[in-house]
Structure formats: C-alpha cells, structure tokens
Amino acid sequence: MSILVTGGAGYIGSVTVEALRVSGEDVVVLDDLSAGHRKAISPDVAFYEGDTGDAEILRKITSEHGVTQMIHFAAFTSVPESVGEPLKYFGNNTGKVVKMIDTLRGGGLKNIVFSSTAAVYGEPQSPAIDEGHPKNPCNPYGLSKYFVERILDWVNSACGITHVALRYFNASGALTKGKLSDGSLMLGEDHHPEGHIIPLVLQAALGQRKSVSIFGTDYPTPDGTCVRDYVHVLDLADAHIKALRYLGDGGESQKINLGNGRGFSVREVIETAREITGRDITAIFGARRAGDPSTLVAAHKKALAVLGWEPKYTSLGDIIQTAWDWHKNYPDGY
Ligand SMILES: NC(=O)c1ccc[n+]([C@@H]2O[C@H](COP(=O)([O-])OP(=O)(O)OC[C@H]3O[C@@H](n4cnc5c(N)ncnc54)[C@H](O)[C@@H]3O)[C@@H](O)[C@H]2O)c1
C-alpha cells in the first residue's frame, strides 16, 4: 500500500514527500507540474505527471500501488489570481476534488489529509484564531478550500472516509542539508510569480529585485506593519505524517490549525533578513492594501492535543536562515 500525495512536486508537498520517504513510507506522487518541479522529488519515489481530475490516471495509480491514504496538496494558491479568475479556482480546487474522491473511494481510499488554509476564516475577529473562529472566506481561494472541508464532512458521514483538514498559516523556510536523517535533497520555495514575503525579501537580498514593498505602516501593531504567523515547512511536513498516523489508528475527522503561534511583523521579517544575509534590502513604504488584516496568528493548541504536534522551528531567524540557504544555492529556482 502507498500513500498518494497530490501536488507532491510543489513547495510543501515536496518537503512532505521527502520526510515520508526518509521515514520509510511508500509514497506515490501525482502532480501536473503546473507549479511544481520534477527535480523536487527523489528518483526513488514513484511519480505520475497528471491531473487530479483525470479518473484514468487515478485508477492506474490505485491498481499499481494500492491507495488507502492520501495527502491532497494539489491546488492553485494565489489569492489575487483567484479574485480575477474565481472559476479557475473553484474548478481546480473544489470541482476536481469531488471527482477525485469519487474515483479513489472505488479503489479503497480510507483517509484524506487535506491542505486547507487560514484563509477559510476571513477577516479575523480575535488576535489569535482558533478552529472555532467563524468561517467567512473573503476570496475565492479561501472559499474553494472551505467548500472542500464541507464536502469532506459529508463524504465522511456517507462513505466513512475520514479526514484531517490542516489549516496552515504562512508556510515558510526550506529543507536544508542535515535536517532529515538521510535526506540529500535541498527543497525550497520556487513559485512563479512569487507572492510570499520571505522569498520576495530574499530575492531582493540576492539583487534579483530592486526592493520590497511594505503595504501599510499605520496598523495597530507594535511597529505599524502587518503581523503574520510563519510556520516552517518541516514542521508542516511533520504534522502531515502525524495526521496520517492519527487517521490510520482510527482517529475521527478533524479541522486543525497549523501555525507557529507567534506573530512577526513585516518590518521584523526584513530586519531579520538583513541580519542573516548581511545584504542591503531596500524597503519601499506604501499605503495599506485592501483586504489585508492587521494581525493573523494561529491558536495551535488543538494540533498538540489531537496530533501531538508542536512546531520546532519557531524563531524567525531559523525560518529565514533555512530559506536563505536554499535561495543562495538555487538563486534561479530548480
Ligand atoms: N504556501 C502557503 O503558505 C500555504 C498556506 C495555506 C495553504 N496552502 C495550501 O497548501 C498546498 C500546497 O501549497 P504550496 O505552497 O506548496 O503550493 P505549490 O503551488 O508549490 O504546490 C501545489 C502543487 O499542486 C500541483 N497542482 C495544482 N493543481 C493540480 C492538479 N489539478 N493536478 C495535479 N497537480 C496539481 C502544482 O503543480 C504544484 O506542484 C495548497 O493546497 C495550498 O492551497 C499553502
């Protein structure tokens, strides 16, 4: 039996696949490479290039490997793009999932770990967000994920397929050498276009962009810039493995936040990156951006209570150091 990982050639998926491989699990990856990278997957891992909406390739994977557990990372991930092209997001992130589960349940699928997002909560109503916070996604991306969460609830009650929906805050950092016992791959963030603050800041440090923009300096935060929760990608990988084991042991379906539990401001990110890289990073201060809440931080006690998961790489220095090691080694990406 293999664990199917969709979107396993992407940023978080590839690190999780490597962590599974190193811990001795049998893994099979399905990715259409629309945003992923073949080089991000060890040659020892079975890889199928294809679409999650393609029933034929899913049946082939099931018959060749046997799939009772899966992690579903595959999705389009840009909030601004989702606002301009909502149907693209509902089609890929929601519609294809319906067909995918319907196909895989015929092959014996029992458990799903699903990549959800803090974007299901929408505008925060408290400084630290726990799982009971109202769900009012304010963009098609967040809604496309929330739809899947609700679909998974009905699939659970009707078909007995259990799930853990993991709501990540800001994934960050990289897998660098020596972090996994026998891992030799270095894996990091390589998105085109890049929309996440830490890689953007590091691209500025590398001279690949002239500056980084800070949107808003008058928020009610200690230094006036937005505060976000950055969770290291290796901690995310660990949580996925724990979620698979929890479901495999008969655990019931859950929605669980994955965050650092601490917030860091945009200004702190830039300052820490300047210290770690020793490079000049020009910041341009601009007006607030519509729809950016001032503070988004996870309450993550449920992950500890249910999965026994706690983040290990919680300092901003650790997060940025690993990301910098990756960007220095792969300045042009994979
Ligand atoms: N990066 C973050 O901070 C963050 C935060 C919250 C949630 N998430 C979620 O985590 C997951 C992974 O995010 P990421 O940052 O690694 O993104 P990514 O773009 O690096 O990875 C997504 C992968 O899915 C693949 N893919 C997309 N649609 C597909 C399809 N129909 N069939 C097959 N493959 C397909 C892409 O080629 C890519 O390799 C996504 O579901 C995303 O919504 C990410």
Side-chain angles (χ1 to χ4, degrees):
M1 286 294 165
S2 297
I3 297 161
L4 170 61
V5 182
T6 69
Y11 169 46
I12 308 168
S14 61
V15 175
T16 305
V17 167
E18 187 60 4
L20 283 163
R21 185 189 73 78
V22 168
S23 63
E25 298 287 355
D26 209 341
V27 187
V28 53
V29 171
L30 172 67
D31 196 301
D32 65 3
L33 300 182
S34 55
H37 308 275
R38 181 66 184 90
K39 285 186 185 158
I41 299 172
S42 159
D44 298 341
V45 171
F47 176 75
Y48 291 77
E49 183 173 345
D51 190 331
T52 52
D54 179 349
E56 204 175 311
I57 201 164
L58 291 169
R59 279 193 284 268
K60 185 170 156 63
I61 292 171
T62 303
S63 73
E64 288 176 3
H65 298 270
V67 173
T68 53
Q69 291 199 307
M70 74 177 301
I71 308 178
H72 181 54
F73 290 104
F76 296 144
T77 65
S78 162
V79 169
E81 186 186 47
S82 79
V83 174
E85 298 190 63
L87 296 175
K88 176 174 172 181
Y89 277 69
F90 294 128
N92 196 50
N93 295 3
T94 313
K96 284 180 186 172
V97 178
V98 174
K99 196 171 161 192
M100 177 185 78
I101 298 173
D102 200 20
T103 308
L104 291 173
R105 79 186 171 119
L109 183 69
K110 290 190 169 53
N111 310 134
I112 303 174
V113 177
F114 171 58
S115 290
S116 191
T117 167
V120 301
Y121 296 115
E123 199 55 39
Q125 292 174 14
S126 51
I129 299 177
D130 68 18
E131 290 82 356
H133 184 286
K135 268 60 82 183
N136 292 311
C138 51
N139 51 63
Y141 166 71
L143 186 57
S144 73
K145 294 283 183 171
Y146 188 53
F147 282 149
V148 175
E149 288 196 3
R150 301 310 312 273
I151 289 166
L152 290 175
D153 287 334
W154 288 108
V155 168
N156 185 165
S157 51
C159 319
I161 296 174
T162 52
H163 65 270
V164 175
L166 296 170
R167 297 176 179 150
Y168 324 150
F169 283 64
N170 292 45
S172 52
L175 169 58
T176 51
K177 292 218 165 72
K179 293 279 185 199
L180 289 175
S181 55
D182 75 339
S184 55
L185 288 176
M186 279 186 86
L187 302 169
E189 204 163 357
D190 182 13
H191 290 131
H192 302 275
E194 186 56 74
H196 296 124
I197 180 83
I198 292 175
L200 289 173
V201 165
L202 296 178
Q203 285 172 0
L206 283 168
Q208 294 175 330
R209 54 180 74 237
K210 285 197 180 117
S211 59
V212 278
S213 299
I214 297 185
F215 298 106
T217 53
D218 59 350
Y219 283 100
T221 58
D223 66 21
T225 63
C226 287
V227 169
R228 294 289 178 268
D229 180 313
Y230 298 94
V231 54
H232 198 283
V233 68
L234 270 172
D235 283 325
L236 291 178
D238 179 42
H240 287 76
I241 295 175
K242 289 189 159 78
L244 285 172
R245 293 192 179 140
Y246 163 83
L247 290 171
D249 289 343
E252 57 188 38
S253 294
Q254 301 283 352
K255 316 287 186 285
I256 296 179
N257 283 346
L258 293 182
N260 188 329
R262 292 167 68 189
F264 298 101
S265 74
V266 175
R267 237 190 262 267
E268 281 178 287
V269 168
I270 295 172
E271 270 314 316
T272 308
R274 283 183 180 133
E275 280 164 28
I276 284 172
T277 63
R279 312 263 178 112
D280 283 336
I281 298 169
T282 306
I284 302 207
F285 300 92
R288 290 184 184 197
R289 221 168 25 178
D292 271 349
S294 76
T295 301
L296 271 180
V297 178
H300 63 191
K301 285 199 181 119
K302 188 172 176 185
L304 180 61
V306 177
L307 302 178
W309 177 87
E310 261 186 315
K312 293 190 192 80
Y313 302 95
T314 52
S315 89
L316 191 55
D318 267 356
I319 289 170
I320 294 183
Q321 182 68 60
T322 57
W324 177 235
D325 290 344
W326 193 82
H327 282 276
K328 258 188 322 190
N329 277 283
Y330 294 87
D332 301 315
Y334 290 99

